[in-house]
Amino acid sequence: MSPASIDEVERLLAAGGYVAGRRLATAVFLALRLGRPLFLEGEAGVGKTELAKVLATTLGRPLVRLQCYEGLDVASAVYEWNVPRQMLAIRVAEASGTAAGGTLAKDLFSREFLVERPILKALEAGRDGAPAVLLVDELDRTDEPFEAYLLEVLSDFQVTIPELGAITSPAPPLVVLTSNRTREVHDAIKRRCLYHWVDYPSAERELEILARKAPEAAEALSREVVAFVQRLRGLDLFKAPGVAETIDWTRALMALDAVALDPDTVDDTLGVLLKYQDDIARLQGTEAAALVREIRARVGA
Amino acid sequence: MAGRLAENVLHFARILRAAGIPIGTDKVIEASRALALAGVERRADWHATLAALFLTRHEQQAAFDQAFDVFWRDPALEEKMMGLLLPKARGRTPAPEADVSTRVAQALLPARARPPREDAPDEVTIDATLTFSPGERLRRLDFEQMTAAEWNEARAFIRRLELPVPRIATRRYEPSPAGGTPDLRAALRRLARDGGELVRLPRRRRREAAPPLVVLCDISGSMHRYTRMFLHFLHALVRDRSRVHAFLFGTRLTHVTRPLRGRDVDQAVKRVCDAVPDWAGGTRIGACLREFNWRWSRRVLGQNACVILLTDGLERDDTDGLGEETARLARACHRLVWLNPLLRFDGFEPTASGIRAMRPHVDAFRPMHNIHTLTDFARALSHPESSRRAA
């Protein structure tokens, strides 16, 4: 059962604690209705992976996650033969004298000896139960050969195993691909997907996110945190903080019992927000203090 | 109504295509279906639906938004379409707003809005050979074309070229009869095929691959005599290898991989010439490296990429920050190789301050003597001994 309207998708995501804009909700709705994969691109920490997790929970579907890395191969992404068990089966057959005839070779390459890896697991999930949500995380980390392999999976939702033939999914999973854009993913992949660029949220939406993710934080503190982070994103930093960092920082500040931003605490906790030494060195001290003053004046006013 | 909707979507797609966003027919058909599903009551949903289907890159968003605003604004769509189809009927179509980019405007109103071609920027006539002019010296280059024989010889060299970049072991395997770890899966397959007889255990080893390459090539005045050759070199690299990104820099950084793609070397070089605004001007290595680090490094330096820096290291700006930017670049890539063709005379010593600032951070420094042709260059790269004497 998939949502009947964009509004319903919005409500669904909100119920899962995910504050989505109308555009993202539309993309999710279409992905569900058209059966197309959803390609999410954006800076690190803007909630791309989280969306897949929330979708799986709220739709009541199993989440199958494939973390990509350079050199990811079919054996760890799709399937593998359980060779030790196959060897064992040969020994058993030999010992019991049933090794003769052509059946052993056939039996050796049956489902029994197949180890399912994420992609195959996601395709098979629909066979008995709800179709899965397949999260192909950080696709930009793999190399082109794997991307090319994904094409078959994404367009036909099928996997070809030489010894068994093509395995087709009875109920295709909802595929969510994410990319941090450390390189451009090939257009052939993107063409098969619905594309959505996940941007940093507006101040208003970020406040809403904080209210859900760090509900214990005082509203005044949340306001200052959001204003500070939004201001940071406007600076020419090597890596601007994402929403994940905003949430972490708020929690860090609460752990330190801070009720409002002050230059010293900001200095001490800058490492939660910024992850490059160049950026930290630049902000620490006077610039951070000036920002805090500016924000306190603005938010307090 | 459905027919009209499909027609409008089709027309909108055609406009986007003309504005440089590639959209396949499958997407157009899908869009009509999607719009019916998403509902057409809310303009924002309409916008989001078409964006999700038609876009494949973040950069396309701006052009898309502009085209969307102009195209779907007027309720009298039919009238607008007529206006588009009959460009003579001036005044009936609303002129695009001033902030609509020329590209979109041209796509929307192909016959009308064709602004006079921008002339090439005036050449600044200050003598910039000795001083770096802050106003930049923008000029266009015309390269003499390469003869076929010259080109074929150079191509042959480049194909065999061993760059000073080691190959990297990947996480994938290849069969290796000579040695390596046993390949159990292949062994079992062979067993099953040959009926339980295994004459020889199949083995496999990690496959080695050339890492992605990023070439940063200096095209400033002091490198002028090499520029043509380097462009040909870059073209050959981009053509013959996968995963190569090429950048040119003088006073600013230009990504030229796309213009370099293309079969014909002269056409490719001409496209590059049109794309680059700062031929043979000053050098701001520090600023350009910074721009690369900030804007590009995370997009092109994944997967153990190696960087080849082609520059003489003569910095016209002061060298503050040059060392840091080089260090940052070296940290971000797998290996940083500096090819320095400055050797106009034997016995060159790296005394220029730019060179001293950059030198400590590079993994390999490869000076090159008396390079006149691409073949010389390829030979110098392949045989480091012959050119390392003076370093």
Side-chain angles (χ1 to χ4, degrees):
Chain A
M1 103 16 300
S2 70
S5 69
I6 303 173
D7 295 308
E8 207 173 304
V9 172
E10 267 186 324
R11 276 197 298 276
L12 203 67
L13 291 175
Y18 192 95
V19 184
R22 184 79 182 176
R23 284 196 55 187
L24 181 55
T26 307
V28 169
F29 171 74
L30 289 174
L32 284 166
R33 290 303 291 268
L34 298 174
R36 285 254 190 164
L38 184 60
F39 190 100
L40 301 175
E41 204 165 42
E43 300 292 335
V46 288
K48 301 185 291 295
T49 306
E50 182 70 13
L51 177 75
K53 292 185 185 164
V54 168
L55 274 176
T57 330
T58 53
L59 291 171
R61 296 178 173 198
L63 176 73
V64 181
R65 177 173 179 163
L66 174 65
Q67 171 67 49
C68 295
Y69 54 84
E70 157 112 62
L72 180 64
D73 58 358
V74 169
S76 42
V78 191
Y79 72 94
E80 201 171 12
W81 287 109
N82 192 342
V83 177
R85 273 199 60 202
Q86 285 172 320
M87 297 273 186
L88 204 64
I90 295 175
R91 297 296 295 272
V92 169
E94 275 172 358
S96 61
T98 53
T103 55
L104 178 61
K106 217 170 119 207
D107 292 346
L108 276 183
F109 294 104
S110 63
R111 279 301 179 89
E112 198 188 336
F113 296 102
L114 196 66
V115 184
E116 289 184 356
R117 300 290 187 206
I119 289 183
L120 189 58
K121 209 183 275 173
L123 292 184
E124 291 283 293
R127 207 170 286 284
D128 36 37
V133 173
L134 172 62
L135 168 63
V136 182
D137 214 4
E138 306 192 3
L139 181 64
D140 48 335
R141 281 173 184 265
T142 59
D143 40 18
E144 284 80 0
F146 185 73
E147 259 177 42
Y149 182 83
L150 262 190
L151 288 178
E152 184 194 0
V153 178
L154 292 186
S155 44
D156 304 336
F157 293 108
Q158 80 170 23
V159 156
T160 309
I161 300 175
E163 294 88 347
L164 289 179
I167 296 183
T168 316
S169 176
L174 168 66
V175 183
V176 179
L177 303 114
T178 77
S179 159
N180 286 336
R181 221 160 62 142
T182 59
R183 71 183 173 83
E184 291 294 347
V185 172
H186 199 278
D187 278 352
I189 289 263
K190 290 180 172 177
R191 255 200 52 225
R192 286 167 169 77
C193 305
L194 295 167
Y195 177 84
H196 183 79
W197 172 263
V198 188
D199 220 335
Y200 294 120
S202 63
E204 196 184 322
R205 216 142 57 76
E206 195 158 21
L207 260 181
E208 210 179 310
I209 295 170
L210 263 191
R212 282 172 192 275
K213 293 289 175 182
E216 320 80 48
E219 202 192 317
L221 179 67
S222 299
R223 267 183 198 290
E224 288 186 5
V225 164
V226 168
F228 189 86
V229 172
Q230 294 265 339
R231 187 75 178 70
L232 278 190
R233 290 192 192 126
L235 299 179
D236 182 26
L237 294 176
F238 193 67
K239 169 73 184 86
V243 184
E245 277 82 18
T246 314
I247 297 168
D248 283 350
W249 196 43
T250 313
R251 290 184 180 149
L253 290 173
M254 281 175 350
L256 296 172
D257 295 326
V259 285
L261 292 188
D262 66 88
D264 288 339
T265 324
V266 170
D267 254 8
D268 295 343
T269 53
L270 221 44
V272 182
L273 216 46
L274 301 173
K275 303 297 161 77
Y276 281 86
Q277 175 54 21
D278 300 321
D279 291 342
I280 295 177
R282 175 179 155 191
L283 273 182
Q284 215 153 31
T286 49
E287 190 159 351
L291 275 184
V292 170
R293 268 199 307 280
E294 177 194 322
I295 274 141
R296 299 211 67 165
R298 192 144 47 97
V299 174
Chain B
M1 186 60 208
R4 178 83 64 83
L5 173 67
E7 203 175 295
N8 282 334
V9 169
L10 178 66
H11 200 87
F12 182 55
R14 289 230 301 264
I15 285 172
L16 289 181
R17 264 181 226 147
I21 303 176
I23 296 167
T25 316
D26 56 334
K27 290 279 185 166
V28 179
I29 298 168
E30 194 97 328
S32 320
R33 271 181 64 205
L35 283 174
L37 283 174
V40 293
E41 296 83 25
R42 286 176 60 168
R43 196 180 138 83
D45 291 354
W46 185 279
H47 180 271
T49 304
L50 290 178
L53 277 154
F54 286 167
L55 298 187
T56 52
R57 279 159 203 271
H58 185 44
E59 290 87 1
Q60 297 163 346
Q61 186 77 53
F64 176 86
D65 288 348
Q66 288 176 356
F68 184 88
D69 280 351
V70 175
F71 190 83
W72 301 103
R73 179 185 50 193
D74 193 352
L77 269 177
E78 198 176 12
E79 191 179 328
K80 180 184 295 188
M81 303 268 287
M82 289 302 287
L84 285 171
L85 295 172
L86 302 169
K88 275 181 225 147
R90 280 164 194 265
R92 291 192 66 191
T93 54
E97 326 269 82
D99 58 352
V100 172
S101 81
T102 344
R103 206 151 46 91
V104 173
Q106 278 173 350
L108 279 164
L109 307 168
R112 290 180 47 204
R114 192 164 291 155
R117 268 193 52 180
E118 270 184 69
D119 287 317
D122 288 348
E123 192 178 317
V124 181
T125 45
I126 318 163
D127 179 17
T129 45
L130 291 174
T131 55
F132 161 68
S133 76
E136 290 187 13
R137 188 170 162 200
L138 305 179
R139 67 186 212 195
R140 308 222 167 247
L141 276 195
D142 251 342
F143 285 108
E144 48 184 301
Q145 303 204 331
M146 235 179 170
T147 66
E150 203 187 346
W151 178 232
N152 283 338
E153 189 196 346
R155 276 292 297 277
F157 256 99
I158 286 181
R159 209 168 296 128
R160 276 178 280 133
L161 177 67
E162 278 294 322
L163 285 173
V165 168
R167 294 167 74 81
I168 290 177
T170 65
R171 291 180 51 91
R172 297 215 171 89
Y173 293 90
E174 63 184 0
S176 156
T181 51
D183 185 349
L184 291 182
R185 182 180 169 183
L188 205 74
R189 240 192 340 252
R190 207 172 287 178
L191 264 180
R193 194 188 59 203
D194 299 346
E197 293 295 322
L198 193 62
V199 181
R200 195 164 168 196
L201 193 61
R203 291 173 177 275
R204 61 178 194 172
R205 62 162 182 228
R206 279 186 192 280
R207 190 161 65 209
E208 291 193 341
L213 267 188
V214 175
V215 186
L216 300 172
C217 178
D218 189 340
I219 49 161
S220 61
S222 58
M223 294 276 290
H224 186 56
R225 46 187 288 228
Y226 303 113
T227 304
R228 169 175 175 266
M229 189 180 75
F230 285 157
L231 285 182
H232 291 154
F233 169 67
L234 287 178
H235 176 259
L237 267 188
V238 169
R239 284 268 306 139
D240 285 352
R241 295 177 185 233
S242 56
R243 305 201 289 176
V244 176
H245 287 275
F247 292 84
L248 302 183
F249 68 92
T251 48
R252 48 178 93 171
L253 186 76
T254 319
H255 186 211
V256 292
T257 315
R258 214 167 269 268
L260 273 176
R261 283 235 162 83
R263 197 161 283 278
D264 185 80
V265 62
D266 294 315
Q267 271 176 19
V269 167
K270 188 176 173 310
R271 277 208 300 274
V272 171
C273 290
D274 292 341
V276 173
D278 55 338
W279 289 108
T283 332
R284 295 192 305 157
I285 306 177
C288 289
L289 286 186
R290 181 184 155 83
E291 196 188 336
F292 177 81
N293 285 336
W294 241 247
R295 284 190 46 214
W296 289 100
S297 65
R298 266 168 301 181
R299 288 173 64 182
V300 299
L301 287 187
Q303 310 185 331
N304 290 325
C306 291
V307 176
I308 292 186
L309 191 59
L310 266 167
T311 173
D312 52 16
L314 292 183
E315 172 75 309
R316 305 290 155 85
D317 261 355
D318 51 27
T319 53
D320 286 353
L322 180 57
E324 286 94 275
E325 293 303 333
T326 317
R328 185 178 288 138
L329 177 62
R331 279 199 301 272
C333 66
H334 183 69
R335 197 174 156 82
L336 175 60
V337 179
W338 180 4
L339 306 177
N340 189 336
L342 167 88
L343 306 161
R344 296 210 182 92
F345 44 88
D346 286 347
F348 161 79
E349 287 294 317
T351 48
S353 57
I355 296 178
R356 278 205 308 274
M358 292 162 74
R359 180 84 193 261
H361 307 293
V362 300
D363 295 306
F365 180 73
R366 184 73 62 90
M368 292 182 297
H369 284 280
N370 300 324
I371 305 291
H372 297 297
T373 66
L374 202 50
T375 319
D376 281 352
F377 179 59
R379 204 175 273 139
L381 279 180
S382 300
H383 304 286
E385 312 77 54
S386 63
S387 59
R388 212 177 246 170
R389 289 171 279 149

